[in-house]
Amino acid sequence: MKKIKFLVVPILVLFFASSCTSVRVLSDYDKEANFNSFKTYAFYKTGIDKAQISDLDKKRILKAIDTEMSSRGYVKSENPDMLLSIFTKEKQQVDVYNNYWGAGFYGWGWSPFYWGSPYYGGNNVSTRTEGSLYIDIIDAKNKELVWQGRGVGTLNNIRNMEKKEKRIKEFVSEILEAYPPGSAMN
């Protein structure tokens, strides 16, 4: 039984630690849009102002988007081909882990003193805030949404600002990896 604990616990810790650091990404786009015609961009202030996050986090996200777009050859402009907007959603996730070590009547370690009752280690309950960051690309001419990327993950109480900035950059980079659709970066 101790061998099982020593094998299972580290594997579970690795699984949950890795699941907390990943960003799950989805994207959708208008198949009729000509993404090759988009060379310049600007931020869509109206949409960004509605994002319900702190102004400091907005700045971090916009800076990360700027860096990512510039590295791909797009140029920020007063007369852009595309407008970029962001919005966020968050929800509380509740995780319940049952710790049943041992077993009952016919399971591991049965003895006349168990009488069918498993050893009960209790429940562990944890909560975390899972957030979604949406990046919208809007055709500046007709003000229509042509591409949307969404990253889902957690910033879970990151107090170190360098780590927080790194996590935000990771979110933005992973989301924009799918832009433009059909590119070699996909």
Side-chain angles (χ1 to χ4, degrees), residues 14-35:
L14 280 172
F15 172 75
F16 289 114
S18 66
S19 68
C20 292
T21 60
S22 66
V23 178
R24 295 178 314 277
V25 177
L26 296 168
S27 65
D28 194 9
Y29 63 96
D30 179 354
K31 290 195 303 188
E32 303 297 318
N34 181 4
F35 293 98

Side-chain angles (χ1 to χ4, degrees), residues 82-142:
M82 61 181 154
L83 300 171
L84 278 74
S85 186
I86 63 168
F87 70 94
T88 59
K89 287 184 181 179
E90 67 178 38
K91 66 179 177 176
Q92 287 288 345
Q93 290 289 112
V94 179
D95 299 314
V96 179
Y97 306 102
N98 294 321
N99 295 320
Y100 292 105
W101 296 102
F105 198 68
Y106 292 105
W108 320 311
W110 178 85
S111 81
F113 304 107
Y114 264 180
W115 287 105
S117 299
Y119 168 75
Y120 180 68
N123 290 331
N124 286 331
V125 178
S126 66
T127 60
R128 60 188 161 89
T129 303
E130 187 172 76
S132 296
L133 170 63
Y134 291 81
I135 300 176
D136 292 342
I137 297 183
I138 301 161
D139 185 330
K141 282 185 206 157
N142 56 19

Side-chain angles (χ1 to χ4, degrees), residues 3-57:
K3 285 183 181 180
I4 292 172
K5 274 188 186 180
F6 286 122
L7 291 175
V8 172
V9 172
I11 290 170
L12 287 174
V13 169
L14 280 172
F15 172 75
F16 289 114
S18 66
S19 68
C20 292
T21 60
S22 66
V23 178
R24 295 178 314 277
V25 177
L26 296 168
S27 65
D28 194 9
Y29 63 96
D30 179 354
K31 290 195 303 188
E32 303 297 318
N34 181 4
F35 293 98
N36 293 327
S37 68
F38 299 141
K39 306 289 183 211
T40 59
Y41 72 96
F43 290 112
Y44 186 56
K45 185 172 173 17
T46 306
I48 292 168
D49 287 344
K50 292 178 185 177
Q52 296 180 356
I53 55 174
S54 76
D55 286 343
L56 292 172
D57 282 342

Side-chain angles (χ1 to χ4, degrees), residues 57-73:
D57 282 342
K58 280 182 194 177
K59 283 171 122 175
R60 290 180 183 106
I61 292 168
L62 297 179
K63 182 179 176 185
I65 292 172
D66 247 346
T67 301
E68 191 68 29
M69 295 300 282
S70 295
S71 74
R72 293 164 174 257

Side-chain angles (χ1 to χ4, degrees), residues 60 155-165:
R60 290 180 183 106
L155 288 177
N156 253 10
N157 300 325
I158 299 175
R159 294 174 193 212
N160 178 309
M161 289 307 116
E162 287 82 29
K163 286 182 180 178
K164 190 174 192 177
E165 280 187 30

